[in-house]
Amino acid sequence: MSAILEFERQQRDAKLAEVRRLAAHAPEGPGGMAHEAVAHVARLRAYIAQGRVRALEAGSHPHKPCGEPRYPGSN
């Protein structure tokens, strides 16, 4: 399980790095809307990756549907 968790963390970190890269190179002018769309999709992918990491840290499988996920510290 720790290998899967480490892999998911690497994926999350890569997606967060992509979001930062896209935010740093935002073009101005007519191409700005297309860039915003790409950046938005990258942010969504990073959010999903973070959810997988949190699910693994909580002890559930990230790709298996379950009830409401429980995270450490939440009741």
Side-chain angles (χ1 to χ4, degrees):
M1 182 76 137
S2 64
I4 295 172
L5 177 58
E6 185 58 36
F7 175 76
E8 291 294 337
R9 283 181 177 156
Q10 290 173 357
Q11 293 296 310
R12 177 202 57 197
D13 294 342
K15 288 176 184 6
L16 289 172
E18 180 182 0
V19 168
R20 285 190 294 273
R21 182 185 58 79
L22 288 169
H25 300 291
E28 307 232 350
M33 290 298 284
H35 178 79
E36 246 335 282
V38 170
H40 180 70
V41 170
R43 285 190 298 272
L44 289 174
R45 288 180 178 157
Y47 182 77
I48 292 168
Q50 177 62 28
R52 287 182 180 147
V53 169
R54 289 181 72 185
L56 281 169
E57 289 172 345
S60 60
H61 196 279
H63 304 293
K64 185 176 178 184
C66 60
E68 186 67 28
R70 287 185 250 186
Y71 301 113
S74 66
N75 292 337

